Amino acid sequence: MKKKPEFKIQNITHPSAPLADYNDPLLRELVAHLRQNRTQLREEWARRITDAQLLTAMTKEEIFSEATSVYDNYVEVLETGSVEALQAYARNLSERIIPRGVETHEVVGIVLLLRDVLARSLFKKYQGEPELLNRVLDAYEPAANRIANTVAVSFVQERERVIRQQQEAIRELSTPVLQVRERLLILPIIGVIDAQRARQLTEQLLRGIRGNRAKVVVVDITGVPTIDQLVANHLVKTVEASRLMGASVIITGLSAEIAQTLVTIGVDLSKMNAVGDLQGGIEEAELLLGYKVISTAEPAAGTGTKESKS
Amino acid sequence: METDTQTEIRSAMDIVTARQRGRALALELGFNGADVTLIAAAISEVARNIVDHAKKGEISMSSVNSSISGGRRGIQIIARDEGPGIRDVAQAMQYGYSTRKGLGVGLPGAKWLMDEFEIASEIGRGTTVTMKKWKR
Amino acid sequence: MQVPILKQGGYLIASIQSVLSDADLVQLRDNLGERVGTFRSRGVIIDVTVLDVIDSFATRTLRGIAHMLKLRGAETVIVGIQPDVAFAMVQLGLTLEGVGTALDLEEGLAYLDLRTKRTPVNGN
């Protein structure tokens, strides 16, 4: 397998690009120091977190146990120069603490605290040797910044992912695919349709057709205020995809404005089976399914197969 | 990255191979079912374009991170051939335009399936199609 | 891999078993053309449930098969196109115009019954 140059370019601009030489003997000495004082520094850090009233949603024990893992990952990054394990851990941690309401500033806060705790311990250790102290700090700073960056970015990304997921879930709930009788589905759409929602609707509908073995689908857009070209074309595609699966689509509730828009923007309506309102659409659907529609007020004998109640 | 794969395209049989690899990679990257199918279909079309017009080429696929929009992950597919090249790219990208056979669906169709689509072609040198799709 | 073709009453059922290469599709076309003649079939069902992608070539071939069989006197219905596959097809602008489609084998048989029903000229 060949390596593609574009990926190297990407790596250089990425915040996780190497900033320090991890064969640096100073860094190695630093790592040894952090290992030796693991217990004490870790406790110091957990105490500072509590003092600063960060991670208040978590118990002391939880904070200590997470702090231990972050600490060990932190030292590992300094030692190996690879942030991958830390990144994975930060994602996993974010996944667990986001539902509990932990905020971005808390996560950034605790990482900066750890950076501070460790820097202070370095000051203490090398205070007699200012020359060496400077060099140790020079080696430590970029690595520490990079670690802070990695954790914060992982958290924010995870949060964005959760938000996107929630948005999807809300959208899905907002448009149910209803089975009114065997082989007949109704998809009442309410509210503005954007490209993403349109796509989701299509996916839901197509799965619904297979899941319910539907033969006819009534898509009611009475509750849709406007439609742009993108969404209109999507609607046409949905109708076509349904047909590929063997189902017919009836569109109902096209307002005069929307109908006018569709004509103006030149949407191919030849494949659309449109019926005025939802009731008419259901009657049309039942005809397609081979049911006879009769008015409840009249005896069943009538000649017409399609009569409207209202 | 270990997810990089490269597929030689020499005959119609290789189209299936490329498509299956693309599907596997897309699944591994966490794309949902509908997107996996769209990606596989797009690969099918660009691979077919190579078979129909260039006889020989290769398709490489890899994961990719977006430099914008918070490092979203995606899949990148590069189809290269050393065929005759496309004289008028704009025309070739018009839906329904076909030089020899087919529906003229291939390349413009693939473009619709993906989020990003670039095509570079040089007469006598060949054509490179680079396309990407981001996870939703 | 060859597509098995079953005879079911007046119909033929071609049930695709695995991913198809271009050559397999062309082979299927030739076999169907021949069998429809041999058995004097009135209808053909092509079951594509297992196909995970139906690209422009496959669409063109399926459409070609349907049109060719029509000229040989048989109605064709494609059954089992999966939701994601249907979505990808329409995104590609592929619609199988003029070809019958149905949800599954059962629906395909019902479709053919409806389409190939012959009404006697005088009485019942």
Side-chain angles (χ1 to χ4, degrees):
Chain A
M1 317 254 152
K2 271 191 275 175
K3 264 276 168 201
K4 274 163 267 347
E6 33 293 34
F7 290 93
K8 277 194 188 131
I9 293 165
Q10 189 127 27
N11 276 340
I12 291 167
T13 53
H14 197 269
S16 65
L19 289 168
D21 176 8
Y22 293 93
N23 291 320
D24 192 335
L26 282 173
L27 268 180
R28 264 188 265 160
E29 196 180 319
L30 184 68
V31 167
H33 169 70
L34 299 182
R35 285 249 157 84
Q36 263 161 29
N37 300 283
R38 178 169 177 263
T39 312
Q40 180 226 324
L41 290 172
R42 200 169 44 150
E43 272 163 14
E44 165 76 5
W45 183 35
R47 192 181 56 73
R48 294 272 307 270
I49 292 174
T50 319
D51 287 354
Q53 299 203 313
L54 295 170
L55 303 181
T56 45
M58 296 164 74
T59 65
K60 271 212 161 94
E61 292 74 32
E62 282 175 317
I63 292 178
F64 191 71
S65 129
E66 299 295 358
T68 304
S69 306
V70 175
Y71 187 95
D72 292 343
N73 273 298
Y74 196 105
V75 176
E76 197 194 310
V77 174
L78 291 175
E79 186 175 35
T80 63
S82 157
V83 290
E84 258 166 44
L86 177 67
Q87 213 163 26
Y89 177 77
R91 286 236 173 88
N92 174 290
L93 173 66
S94 308
E95 208 173 304
R96 281 179 285 126
I97 61 180
I98 286 169
R100 303 178 61 174
V102 173
E103 299 287 338
T104 313
H105 80 266
E106 295 183 274
V107 171
V108 175
I110 64 161
V111 183
L112 292 179
L113 275 180
L114 177 58
R115 190 170 166 275
D116 188 56
V117 167
L118 301 187
R120 275 167 198 267
S121 95
L122 293 176
F123 272 112
K124 217 167 118 194
K125 180 175 160 104
Y126 297 107
Q127 59 187 347
E129 308 160 85
E131 175 75 8
L132 184 57
L133 174 64
N134 273 339
R135 279 166 48 214
V136 169
L137 287 178
D138 280 349
Y140 172 69
E141 287 284 336
N145 288 341
R146 179 178 164 198
I147 292 169
N149 196 329
T150 303
V151 173
V153 167
S154 300
F155 183 84
V156 169
Q157 278 178 358
E158 183 60 28
R159 242 174 86 119
E160 280 175 358
R161 197 185 63 78
V162 169
I163 291 169
R164 272 202 297 272
Q165 233 172 28
Q166 286 169 343
Q167 281 172 341
E168 293 234 330
I170 290 169
R171 284 208 192 89
E172 210 147 295
L173 283 176
S174 64
T175 311
V177 177
L178 308 168
Q179 182 171 29
V180 281
R181 63 155 82 215
E182 223 178 299
R183 325 306 303 277
L184 172 57
L185 293 182
I186 296 186
L187 183 75
I189 308 177
I190 295 166
V192 178
I193 314 178
D194 58 11
Q196 203 189 342
R197 182 162 181 228
R199 204 179 134 175
Q200 196 162 17
L201 287 173
T202 308
E203 272 175 40
Q204 248 178 291
L205 179 63
L206 297 181
R207 300 228 161 92
I209 288 172
R210 174 137 288 265
N212 298 286
R213 304 193 74 245
K215 222 174 141 84
V216 183
V217 181
V218 179
V219 177
D220 181 58
I221 59 170
T222 311
V224 178
T226 57
I227 279 186
D228 63 7
Q229 182 159 19
L230 198 80
V231 173
N233 285 328
H234 201 94
L235 208 56
V236 174
K237 282 181 178 166
T238 305
V239 172
E240 287 170 348
S242 304
R243 194 196 80 80
L244 287 176
M245 295 184 61
S248 316
V249 177
I250 298 167
I251 309 257
T252 64
L254 277 168
S255 67
E257 289 89 344
I258 290 181
Q260 185 56 48
T261 312
L262 295 185
V263 173
T264 311
I265 59 188
V267 173
D268 177 12
L269 295 165
S270 57
K271 288 172 196 136
M272 286 224 192
N273 184 358
V275 175
D277 61 6
L278 181 56
Q279 163 132 25
I282 293 175
E283 287 170 6
E284 174 80 16
E286 295 188 326
L287 275 179
L288 285 176
L289 286 169
Y291 295 107
K292 279 196 174 169
V293 179
I294 48 162
S295 169
T296 46
E298 313 250 332
T303 44
T305 49
K306 190 182 167 192
E307 280 173 40
S308 141
K309 262 193 288 183
S310 55
Chain B
M1 243 183 226
E2 71 280 4
T3 47
D4 287 18
T5 97
Q6 210 146 11
T7 310
E8 296 265 326
I9 306 293
R10 289 166 187 278
S11 75
M13 286 304 291
D14 299 325
I15 299 175
V16 176
T17 311
R19 182 161 93 200
Q20 282 171 339
R21 287 186 183 163
R23 169 174 286 275
L25 176 58
L27 277 174
E28 195 182 313
L29 294 175
F31 279 95
N32 74 14
D35 280 341
V36 169
T37 305
L38 295 184
I39 291 163
I43 291 170
S44 209
E45 297 300 339
V46 293
R48 184 165 308 285
N49 189 62
I50 293 176
V51 174
D52 286 354
H53 299 290
K55 308 282 181 259
K56 185 175 150 250
E58 62 177 29
I59 292 186
S60 36
M61 304 174 233
S62 56
S63 74
V64 61
N65 285 309
S66 167
S67 45
I68 47 163
S69 71
R72 283 175 88 176
R73 288 196 93 189
I75 188 168
Q76 171 169 268
I77 295 142
I78 301 173
R80 276 192 209 89
D81 69 54
E82 285 163 24
I86 300 170
R87 197 168 298 280
D88 185 344
V89 171
Q91 190 182 39
M93 288 307 291
Q94 270 168 32
Y95 193 77
Y97 175 82
S98 175
T99 44
R100 266 186 267 165
K101 43 183 169 174
L103 305 164
V105 166
L107 293 182
K111 183 178 177 177
W112 289 344
L113 299 177
M114 304 294 283
D115 293 329
E116 289 178 32
F117 187 99
E118 275 168 45
I119 177 165
S121 191
E122 213 180 313
I123 294 299
R125 302 288 300 270
T127 303
T128 301
V129 172
T130 305
M131 50 190 196
K132 291 177 191 153
K133 192 166 191 74
W134 303 113
K135 268 170 67 177
R136 282 189 285 151
Chain C
M1 173 170 173
Q2 270 221 18
V3 179
I5 299 172
L6 306 171
K7 184 176 171 302
Q8 162 82 34
Y11 305 144
L12 294 179
I13 301 173
S15 174
I16 294 172
Q17 306 288 318
S18 69
V19 176
L20 286 188
S21 70
D22 295 2
D24 296 331
L25 267 172
V26 172
Q27 179 78 48
L28 173 65
R29 183 190 68 200
D30 296 349
N31 290 349
L32 279 175
E34 188 198 309
R35 303 271 173 98
V36 160
T38 314
F39 298 118
R40 304 183 64 233
S41 309
R42 303 280 301 153
V44 174
I45 296 178
I46 302 176
D47 186 349
V48 299
T49 307
V50 304
L51 292 189
D52 59 357
V53 166
I54 299 181
D55 65 1
S56 55
F57 179 85
T59 303
R60 195 163 75 233
T61 312
L62 288 173
R63 207 165 55 191
I65 291 176
H67 292 168
M68 180 268 287
L69 292 177
K70 180 100 198 160
L71 295 175
R72 306 269 288 140
E75 197 69 44
T76 303
V77 58
I78 312 282
V79 306
I81 297 179
Q82 297 296 315
D84 294 345
V85 174
F87 185 62
M89 285 174 76
V90 297
Q91 287 289 95
L92 275 168
L94 306 170
T95 56
L96 277 175
E97 232 150 299
V99 183
T101 49
L103 190 74
D104 52 22
L105 210 55
E106 192 185 330
E107 284 299 311
L109 286 167
Y111 174 93
L112 287 182
D113 283 346
L114 212 67
R115 294 296 295 255
T116 61
K117 197 162 50 188
R118 274 179 284 184
T119 14
V121 183
N122 48 354
N124 27 314

